Amino acid sequence: MTTTPAGPLPILPLTSPPELTWRVPGSKSITNRALVLAALADGESTLEGVLHSDDTRHMRSALEALGIRIRDAGPDTLVVEGGRHRLRAPERELFVGNSGTTVRFLAALACLVPGEVVLVGDEHMAKRPIADLVDGLRQLGVDVACPTGCPPLRIRGGRLPGGALTMRGDRSSQYFSAVMMAGPFAEAAIDLRVSGALVSRPYVEITRRMVADFGGRIDEAEGGFTVHRAEGYRPRTYRIEPDASSASYPFALAAASGGAITVPGLGEGALQGDYRFVDLLEQAGAQVTRKADATTVRGGGRLRGVDVDMHHISDTVMTLAAIAPLFEGPTTIRNVANIRIKETDRLAATVAELRRLGQEVTHGDDWLRIEPRPLSPALVQSYSDHRMAMSFAVLGLCRPGVTIENPACVAKTYPTFWEDVARCREASLPRY
């Protein structure tokens, strides 16, 4: 049973630089994509390495309410009995909490459900825009109602016409992934066009590769993508790799503390774009050893400030920003306007908490610059955002004075985070 410490939680610095193997749970992004694809595949699929978290539980319970059978076959293994013929209108509204992948992916999948599907979330989800996806589905002829431009939204489905749709690319790549996963079941091919630059493109590439793994086909085309019709998805056994966004925390801790931490199962050839976070640590002065099945980050030297574009790995912005006070010289993070519509306005939140900790921070609509200053003890607000809590916990493990206001919010994607921190602390204790 996972236990979450009550907040506020003072973070005690590690006794010495840790040297250990840190096993990161499965990718949330890949788990929720795999659940959708397996739900649509006609037959029994086995998903291994599944992440069990708030977000993935919301996806699972919603799919079960839509008629998909899912059973546990081990601590991190699920068996999904899927097929479009199983889909049915749910008896009640589907609650998605504050899970962006769940609400966006299911908005497109609901087009295939005969009847009405209503997606509702918590008070935070009610502020997260989804109007671009709603408009895109309407361009395909889908009946979608979303009065505020944020959840809740109602979809009357049963068929998904094909054709062309255009969506802004600078808001969320998940809108495109949603259409890509449901699109092979449309009545004709879908011409999915991108207006402007596509944010977080590596996540779209994950979707394309996973759709192909389940028997679909999405081609890159001029101005966007072509989602081809398919007879259906093929059931299969699918292994989910560790979460690269979550791996950024032990990687950052190794670099900032002067330790050496290895994350197994995540190495060269990783699906997830956030794996490139280790490139930034290397640029700052850490040593990175990449193997096919593991990656090790080693600190020990001086870390220097960096000037980086994090547009495509924006879930790791807070991780880098939180350890930037330990660098020599300023750190500038650019081209990240998209983090303003995540679980919270992450750019504003990061600026506020760094300033609370005594740092000199300047910022604009899509950038921030951190000038390291002596750390002031502070209660760091998490804004109910898992990544805020985990990122600043890394800083607290390296320097005294950091307290996390709401440690429980890590359950969204990494329920065992504090247990792994405790194991790391134990590994840092001197041996006599």
Side-chain angles (χ1 to χ4, degrees):
M1 177 69 69
T2 300
T3 57
T4 302
L9 178 66
I11 307 298
L12 301 178
L14 299 175
T15 305
S16 62
E19 295 197 11
L20 75 155
T21 295
W22 185 313
R23 297 189 180 277
V24 173
S27 163
K28 176 202 74 173
S29 298
I30 296 179
T31 295
N32 271 357
R33 283 167 172 79
L35 281 167
V36 168
L37 295 169
L40 292 172
D42 193 7
E44 187 174 282
S45 294
T46 301
L47 308 181
E48 301 173 343
V50 166
L51 170 69
H52 296 294
S53 71
D54 287 350
D55 277 19
T56 60
R57 278 190 287 271
H58 286 310
M59 178 64 83
R60 174 179 178 171
S61 63
L63 290 173
E64 289 174 327
L66 292 170
I68 304 303
R69 297 176 183 173
I70 304 175
R71 70 177 189 275
D72 293 281
D76 63 355
T77 301
L78 296 177
V79 174
V80 181
E81 296 179 42
R84 181 178 179 178
H85 66 280
R86 293 186 180 275
L87 295 176
R88 56 176 172 76
E91 296 178 356
R92 58 186 65 87
E93 297 175 339
L94 300 183
F95 181 70
V96 300
N98 192 22
S99 174
T101 54
T102 301
V103 73
R104 293 160 183 167
F105 296 171
L106 290 184
L109 182 145
C111 301
L112 307 175
V113 178
E116 182 173 286
V117 177
V118 178
L119 301 170
V120 300
D122 61 18
E123 68 275 16
H124 303 288
M125 178 58 73
K127 301 175 184 176
R128 299 183 68 177
I130 198 170
D132 291 281
L133 178 57
V134 168
D135 179 64
L137 295 175
R138 285 173 177 163
Q139 291 177 49
L140 293 178
V142 179
D143 181 358
V144 188
C146 184
T148 68
C150 301
L153 64 158
R154 173 195 50 73
I155 303 101
R156 290 197 177 101
R159 59 185 291 263
L160 179 59
L165 76 153
T166 302
M167 293 186 290
R168 287 180 57 168
D170 62 347
R171 298 287 179 82
S172 174
S173 66
Q174 291 174 10
Y175 302 153
F176 293 87
S177 289
V179 175
M180 287 177 170
M181 288 189 286
F185 293 84
E187 296 169 359
I190 294 177
D191 180 9
L192 181 54
R193 299 172 186 168
V194 183
S195 174
L198 179 57
V199 70
S200 300
R201 187 186 178 100
Y203 285 100
V204 171
E205 295 306 318
I206 290 174
T207 305
R208 290 180 65 200
R209 289 173 63 177
M210 292 183 67
V211 166
D213 288 340
F214 279 84
R217 180 181 155 205
I218 301 169
D219 291 334
E220 193 163 1
E222 184 176 354
F225 306 90
T226 300
V227 184
H228 295 276
R229 290 191 67 225
E231 293 301 318
Y233 288 144
R234 296 188 298 267
R236 55 166 295 161
T237 297
Y238 192 88
R239 180 73 190 178
I240 293 159
E241 69 185 22
D243 193 293
S245 304
S246 295
S248 73
Y249 309 121
F251 287 149
L253 178 60
S257 68
I261 298 179
T262 298
V263 174
L266 193 66
E268 295 173 327
L271 275 176
Q272 301 159 83
D274 280 2
Y275 178 66
R276 287 170 42 214
F277 180 74
V278 297
D279 298 345
L280 306 188
L281 295 177
E282 197 169 45
Q283 186 177 338
Q287 297 178 16
V288 181
T289 303
R290 303 166 182 83
K291 298 181 179 178
D293 59 351
T295 300
T296 300
V297 172
R298 184 180 296 274
R302 293 181 176 179
L303 297 178
R304 54 187 174 272
V306 293
D307 188 329
V308 291
D309 183 327
M310 297 186 70
H311 186 65
H312 291 303
I313 56 171
S314 58
D315 275 349
T316 62
V317 166
M318 292 72 61
T319 318
L320 182 65
I323 62 171
L326 309 180
F327 292 177
E328 291 187 356
T331 290
T332 303
I333 298 171
R334 304 183 185 276
N335 201 13
V336 291
N338 54 309
I339 69 173
R340 289 187 174 276
I341 59 169
K342 297 284 189 174
E343 282 78 347
T344 187
D345 181 338
R346 285 177 169 168
L347 198 154
T350 301
V351 169
E353 299 316 303
L354 285 169
R355 287 175 173 170
R356 196 189 306 274
L357 288 161
Q359 305 307 296
E360 182 175 330
V361 188
T362 53
H363 68 96
D365 289 340
D366 68 347
W367 63 273
L368 68 156
R369 177 182 172 89
I370 304 134
E371 298 268 3
R373 296 290 183 265
L375 207 65
S376 301
L379 174 65
V380 174
Q381 302 298 312
S382 62
Y383 306 83
S384 297
D385 188 329
H386 54 131
R387 301 209 183 282
M388 288 292 293
M390 290 186 282
S391 296
F392 283 94
V394 173
L395 178 61
L397 290 168
C398 299
R399 295 290 187 276
V402 176
T403 299
I404 303 299
E405 160 259 344
N406 177 18
C409 66
V410 304
K412 179 176 170 61
T413 55
Y414 198 161
T416 60
F417 177 74
W418 300 115
E419 296 173 16
D420 288 342
V421 166
R423 279 190 284 270
C424 182
R425 186 182 309 286
E426 183 178 351
S428 77
L429 294 174
R431 306 297 179 187
Y432 298 102

